[in-house]
Amino acid sequence: MTIFNLFRRSGQHAGQNNTLSEDGVDSRDNIPKYSESTISTPATTENSVVSRTESPTGSLESPSLQKPEIDLELEMVPMAPETHGRLGSWRGSMILLVTSGSQFLDNVFMTSSNMALASIQEEFGVSSTNLQWMISAYTLAFGGFLLLAGSLSDRYGRKMILCLGLFWLTIWTLAIGFGQSFIQLTIFRGIQGIGASLTVPSAIGIISSYFTGVDRTRGLSIYAASGTVGFCAGLIFGGFLTSSLGWRYLFYLIPIIPGCLGILGLIVLPKDREATKDRQRMDYLGAVLSTVGLILLQFVLSSGGRYGWGDPFIIVILVLAVGFLVGFVIYEKYISNPLMPLSLWTIPNFAGLWIAGFTCYGSYQNIIYYIVLMAQKVDGLSAGDTAIRFLPMGAIGFIVSLGTGKLLEYINAKYCLIAGLVLSVVAAVPSAATATLTENFWINTLATSLISISAVSFIFVTTSTTILTSVPVEVKSLCGGMLNTAFQIGSGVALAISAATTSAVDIQKGHGLAQQYATGLWCSTGFAGLGLVIGVFAVRRKGASPKDRLGGPVAV
């Protein structure tokens, strides 16, 4: 079954003297010079795909019918998106500010709360086991709703979903600050995570559809860089604010940022296209199956180590999670309006890049978990001192992200991917090798922090850019959600493997904290090594060159 048939607006040919604004809009009638739309007719939906070719003069020839080899066949050829946005224009800069600002905030919310955990535990008298729910509640909702959020963005409008997510974050972050019990804080954190999940796919979709060619690559690299800055800003802001004014001010002051970004987004973000009258119904059952399955899987991965992997409760939840996800895949195969078209997985390099993101981000989050603990519990640093020492990490991440975007303008994306995966493999080695030898942060933690942030910057920019230039505009947000789902699940899997290994190898034998952290870090190396092997063989150079990424996909 053909899912996407994209074509350029046939009423506007190269021979017409249309006047374009800086955003590629015809100034006479305010209509985009080129647009993409979906063909879905009984004559072409089941057995054929409409193919439109462009003559040397730029005009469109008559469509022809041909038998497809796969359900969704996409080629990397130049194609004009809905509007032509320039990164250097005032509006392009404002759009990038809103979208990258949302990525910045998602990482601030993730890391700043870590710095407030000790104060929250002291105020509410929470046990160490239950304290983790302040983090887990956010990641459960964030990872569980990403796929649904991506589909909603593509279906109902990226601008609407992004602004909704930003205002949602504003409200529920404030609610956390006013919470009067730990249960309230945990519930509000989970609801806050839903807002974060709404911002990620929509922001990625806006960048990848509004900008083209080199501007798209640079926009995605800036988006990735804002995440690394947000990670470090969260540590610093959370550490200093918690130790000075108190942890509640963390949730009183941060909402100012998403509130302002939401208002700015309503003004500057490109207008959502109006829904067509013949739009198919939303795949509600698929949405329920995928969301519940992902939330249950995230719960098992984040809680298995605390409850015990042999606990009947964890086993039942895991079986239910797998059942929901398998049921989702089977259901999507047989319906006409799937939430996640399975044909996306047949796009060249899509699966390989997804797995690369899964393993690299999992390894990265596992490393961060252990080196932060090492800095505080082995090296004896306070929260504020730890935050200061991680400043170089944020700077390096920002530089490498922007540099990767520049490199992708000249070299094949596979080479950047392999470079990132190799760095992922070696990132944990310095800390793992020196953890038991010294209690000096600059020796046993700094090198690993800089290598790991460089690795994840390479991988994030490369996977995002390559995947989002090989799918139709109608599913860019969905694919952004799928890629970030890989990141979230990978993080949970890596931490679960490390926790189980550390428990068996060190904790049960009474080994010290430094030895436990070293074992967890060696697990990161193994996890990243798996990704490197898969990346080498599953990702091809074909379709990943700079020339391929200058345009976009078109169905043929």
Side-chain angles (χ1 to χ4, degrees):
M1 178 184 291
T2 301
I3 301 174
F4 306 106
N5 299 300
L6 307 179
F7 66 93
R8 295 178 179 174
R9 197 178 186 91
S10 58
Q12 298 173 337
H13 301 286
Q16 294 176 320
N17 296 321
N18 290 336
T19 303
L20 297 180
S21 68
E22 69 174 15
D23 293 328
V25 178
D26 193 322
S27 60
R28 296 175 305 168
D29 53 11
N30 202 34
I31 297 176
K33 182 173 177 64
Y34 297 105
S35 64
E36 300 169 358
S37 54
T38 303
I39 301 172
S40 181
T41 63
T44 63
T45 302
E46 295 296 334
N47 300 315
S48 60
V49 181
V50 173
S51 175
R52 290 177 179 258
T53 59
E54 186 175 4
S55 68
T57 62
S59 60
L60 293 175
E61 298 175 356
S62 300
S64 59
L65 299 180
Q66 61 184 25
K67 290 280 186 179
E69 296 182 359
I70 58 176
D71 287 347
L72 175 60
E73 185 178 349
L74 299 175
E75 292 185 358
M76 303 282 289
V77 297
M79 180 185 67
E82 296 168 321
T83 57
H84 283 294
R86 291 193 302 109
L87 196 61
S89 67
W90 179 86
R91 190 183 183 197
S93 299
M94 291 299 100
I95 289 173
L96 195 59
L97 174 63
V98 175
T99 52
S100 298
S102 66
Q103 170 75 342
F104 172 86
L105 279 171
D106 291 338
N107 283 271
V108 167
F109 286 133
M110 228 176 241
T111 57
S112 61
S113 298
N114 281 278
M115 294 298 186
L117 289 179
S119 298
I120 292 173
Q121 182 178 28
E122 182 178 349
E123 179 171 336
F124 294 106
V126 186
S127 66
S128 298
T129 302
N130 291 330
L131 185 64
Q132 285 300 117
W133 281 109
M134 267 294 288
I135 306 300
S136 298
Y138 182 86
T139 56
L140 281 174
F142 191 5
F145 281 88
L146 274 170
L147 188 59
L148 175 59
S151 182
L152 290 174
S153 297
D154 288 322
R155 187 177 182 85
Y156 295 110
R158 293 158 187 157
K159 175 180 180 178
M160 182 183 72
I161 297 299
L162 178 56
C163 292
L164 174 63
L166 289 170
F167 291 132
W168 186 289
L169 284 171
T170 302
I171 294 170
W172 291 104
T173 304
L174 276 174
I176 296 172
F178 288 104
Q180 297 302 309
S181 68
F182 183 74
I183 293 178
Q184 288 182 3
L185 297 186
T186 302
I187 293 173
F188 294 158
R189 275 283 285 177
I191 300 175
Q192 182 194 40
I194 297 175
S197 71
L198 293 175
T199 64
V200 171
S202 52
I204 291 176
I206 289 172
I207 293 174
S208 57
S209 61
Y210 183 78
F211 300 109
T212 58
V214 172
D215 280 343
R216 179 194 290 133
T217 302
R218 291 175 179 173
L220 288 171
S221 66
I222 293 173
Y223 177 85
S226 67
T228 62
V229 173
F231 171 84
C232 295
L235 291 176
I236 297 168
F237 189 67
F240 285 112
L241 203 56
T242 299
S243 60
S244 57
L245 297 178
W247 70 268
R248 290 187 183 273
Y249 281 87
L250 186 64
F251 302 101
Y252 292 157
L253 298 179
I254 289 182
I256 297 173
I257 302 176
C260 292
L261 288 176
I263 295 172
L264 181 61
L266 291 175
I267 300 171
V268 303
L269 292 179
K271 184 179 180 181
D272 294 324
R273 287 183 296 174
E274 294 183 3
T276 56
K277 294 182 179 179
D278 58 347
R279 184 177 63 187
Q280 291 181 306
R281 290 181 68 254
M282 176 71 179
D283 178 15
Y284 293 107
L285 180 57
V288 172
L289 290 173
S290 63
T291 303
V292 173
L294 287 172
I295 289 176
L296 292 177
L297 180 61
Q298 286 282 98
F299 175 83
V300 170
L301 294 175
S302 62
S303 304
R306 293 199 296 272
Y307 290 99
W309 291 102
D311 190 289
F313 173 68
I314 292 297
I315 294 175
V316 170
I317 297 298
L318 178 60
V319 170
L320 288 175
V322 173
F324 274 107
L325 293 176
V326 170
F328 168 68
V329 172
I330 295 173
Y331 179 71
E332 296 298 281
K333 183 178 180 180
Y334 293 103
I335 64 171
S336 59
N337 59 323
L339 179 74
M340 183 190 73
L342 298 183
S343 298
L344 290 173
W345 293 96
T346 65
I347 298 173
N349 292 334
F350 188 92
L353 290 168
W354 193 93
I355 295 174
F358 172 88
T359 55
C360 175
Y361 207 80
S363 175
Y364 167 72
Q365 289 289 5
N366 197 61
I367 288 173
I368 295 302
Y369 176 78
Y370 282 108
I371 64 175
V372 170
L373 287 174
M374 188 179 297
Q376 295 182 352
K377 296 192 175 184
V378 175
D379 300 336
L381 299 176
S382 65
D385 290 337
T386 301
I388 292 175
R389 284 164 174 75
F390 276 121
L391 278 175
M393 185 179 180
I396 292 297
F398 185 80
I399 294 170
V400 174
S401 294
L402 296 183
T404 303
K406 192 67 176 178
L407 278 175
L408 289 173
E409 298 174 19
Y410 301 101
I411 67 174
N412 193 284
K414 180 170 182 177
Y415 300 138
C416 286
L417 179 74
I418 298 303
L421 290 171
V422 170
L423 288 175
S424 294
V425 173
V426 303
V429 175
S431 288
T434 61
T436 58
L437 303 178
T438 179
E439 296 179 357
N440 189 317
F441 174 91
W442 307 111
I443 296 176
N444 65 9
T445 306
L446 180 64
T448 288
S449 70
L450 299 183
I451 299 173
S452 64
I453 195 66
S454 299
V456 78
S457 298
F458 265 112
I459 297 296
F460 185 92
V461 176
T462 302
T463 55
S464 298
T465 302
T466 308
I467 283 180
L468 292 169
T469 52
S470 56
V471 297
V473 68
E474 282 83 357
V475 289
K476 288 188 183 295
S477 292
L478 171 62
C479 289
M482 291 171 65
L483 183 59
N484 278 270
T485 300
F487 296 158
Q488 294 299 317
I489 297 177
S491 301
V493 170
L495 285 169
I497 292 174
S498 297
T501 304
T502 302
S503 176
V505 174
D506 295 311
I507 297 177
Q508 294 180 10
K509 297 180 180 180
H511 294 165
L513 287 177
Q515 182 59 52
Q516 295 175 28
Y517 299 157
T519 300
L521 288 165
W522 285 120
C523 290
S524 294
T525 297
F527 200 65
L530 175 63
L532 176 61
V533 173
I534 294 174
V536 168
F537 293 102
V539 178
R540 299 179 297 174
R541 291 182 300 170
K542 183 179 180 181
S545 68
K547 183 178 178 181
D548 295 318
R549 293 189 301 275
L550 288 178
V554 63
V556 296

